[in-house]
């Protein structure tokens, strides 16, 4: 199947540091999504990207849709302890049969 | 607001037993999805239903069946459970409108197969 590579697999940082994670795909897509999953919960949408080159912010989070349409990154500035969780990128395929498939996730740990 | 509700939240089965995971959403969404989550593997799509009356296979459908009972409910059935199906299962729903990326997830169902 089409591969979606997310990196890094895990990060352990100090409170206040900035964080960057990214996803790359072997194929082009029209939609990139970033989700966060907290322990014991289902994933929650953080940012959705629909256009190549699009840069979108949500508070301390910023995500960009790569110009090649094969990649996306998520940045978190000035991390805080509640940023802890697993961050997933997702890409949409299937046209009218909308399917969302995820990367393997980035586990973020923030040390107070 | 209930959102997406999954039952049961926890289940232990013996190999070969059958069970059904139930999912219901109260948001009038058209599309519903079943994922499984395993350590280091992320979330993998098992089956989805783009609209009432339709179902399609995802990445890992083997060993599972689904039923879109009505617009609200989408169940996942394991006919003969295997230890490899030990996982956390998530149901999700979406409005079904084009270019609307937000899937709303339930809290998950943790299944252990002995």
């Amino acid at each position: 199947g089409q591969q979606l590579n997310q990196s890094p697999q895990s990060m352990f940082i100090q409170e206040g540091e900035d964080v960057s994670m990214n996803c790359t795909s072997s194929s082009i897509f029209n939609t990139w999504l970033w989700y966060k999953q907290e322990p014991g919960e289902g994933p929650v949408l953080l940012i959705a990207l629909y256009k190549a080159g699009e840069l979108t912010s949500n508070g301390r989070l910023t995500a960009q849709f790569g110009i090649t349409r094969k990649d996306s990154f998520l940045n978190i500035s000035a991390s805080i302890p509640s940023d802890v969780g697993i961050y997933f990128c997702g890409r949409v395929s299937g046209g009218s049969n909308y399917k969302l498939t995820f990367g393997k996730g980035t586990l973020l740990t923030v040390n107070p | 607001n209930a959102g997406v509700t999954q039952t049961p939240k926890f289940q232990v089965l013996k190999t070969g037993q059958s069970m059904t995971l139930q999912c219901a959403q109260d948001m009038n969404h058209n599309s519903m999805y079943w994922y499984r989550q395993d350590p280091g593997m992320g979330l993998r799509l098992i089956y989805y239903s783009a609209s009432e009356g339709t179902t399609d296979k995802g990445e890992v459908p083997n060993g599972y069946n689904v039923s879109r009972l009505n617009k609200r409910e989408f169940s996942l059935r394991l006919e003969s459970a295997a230890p490899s199906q030990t996982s956390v299962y998530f149901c999700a729903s979406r409005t079904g409108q084009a270019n609307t990326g937000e899937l709303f997830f339930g809290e998950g169902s943790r299944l252990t197969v002995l």
Side-chain angles (χ1 to χ4, degrees):
Chain A
Q2 295 158 337
Q3 292 199 343
L4 188 61
N5 298 310
Q6 185 171 352
S7 64
Q9 284 187 317
S10 62
M11 303 182 74
F12 187 93
I13 63 171
Q14 295 295 123
E15 182 176 0
E17 290 183 358
D18 297 342
V19 172
S20 183
M21 59 192 78
N22 69 83
C23 271
T24 60
S25 172
S26 56
S27 303
I28 62 173
F29 291 96
N30 294 323
T31 302
W32 281 98
L33 306 167
W34 286 93
Y35 280 77
K36 178 188 178 186
Q37 183 182 30
E38 298 189 2
E41 305 282 334
V44 175
L45 181 68
L46 297 173
I47 293 178
L49 302 163
Y50 298 108
K51 295 181 182 178
E54 181 179 355
L55 183 71
T56 298
S57 293
N58 178 6
R60 293 179 295 106
L61 278 61
T62 302
Q64 184 159 27
F65 192 151
I67 293 175
T68 64
R69 293 165 61 194
K70 290 185 178 182
D71 60 350
S72 177
F73 71 75
L74 175 70
N75 287 342
I76 305 173
S77 63
S79 59
I80 58 178
S82 62
D83 289 334
V84 164
I86 305 176
Y87 291 79
F88 292 100
C89 64
R91 48 96 164 135
V92 175
S93 61
S96 58
N97 265 355
Y98 186 106
K99 285 195 302 184
L100 174 59
T101 53
F102 290 93
K104 293 183 179 181
T106 296
L107 174 62
L108 178 64
T109 304
V110 179
N111 192 30
Chain B
N1 292 335
V4 178
T5 303
Q6 294 181 229
T7 56
K9 288 188 168 37
F10 301 94
Q11 183 73 48
V12 178
L13 292 177
K14 295 181 179 178
T15 297
Q17 286 185 318
S18 62
M19 78 157 299
T20 300
L21 297 176
Q22 307 286 355
C23 176
Q25 52 91 8
D26 62 2
M27 296 173 283
N28 200 35
H29 285 173
N30 291 319
S31 303
M32 298 185 73
Y33 305 78
W34 276 105
Y35 289 85
R36 61 176 289 174
Q37 184 175 24
D38 304 289
M41 299 298 293
L43 291 150
R44 292 182 292 171
L45 182 63
I46 305 171
Y47 269 94
Y48 67 105
S49 170
S51 60
E52 187 178 357
T54 68
T55 61
D56 286 284
K57 295 178 181 179
E59 303 168 76
V60 288
N62 291 345
Y64 304 96
N65 287 302
V66 290
S67 295
R68 184 74 184 267
L69 303 170
N70 47 56
K71 191 171 185 179
R72 291 186 63 248
E73 298 172 288
F74 188 39
S75 63
L76 179 71
R77 181 159 180 84
L78 287 70
E79 289 291 350
S80 180
S84 61
Q85 294 178 304
T86 293
S87 188
V88 181
Y89 291 86
F90 286 96
C91 178
S93 71
R94 174 181 163 264
T95 64
Q97 295 174 6
N99 280 344
T100 303
E102 185 161 13
L103 266 66
F104 292 85
F105 284 83
E107 293 185 342
S109 297
R110 184 176 293 276
L111 175 65
T112 301
V113 183
L114 302 175

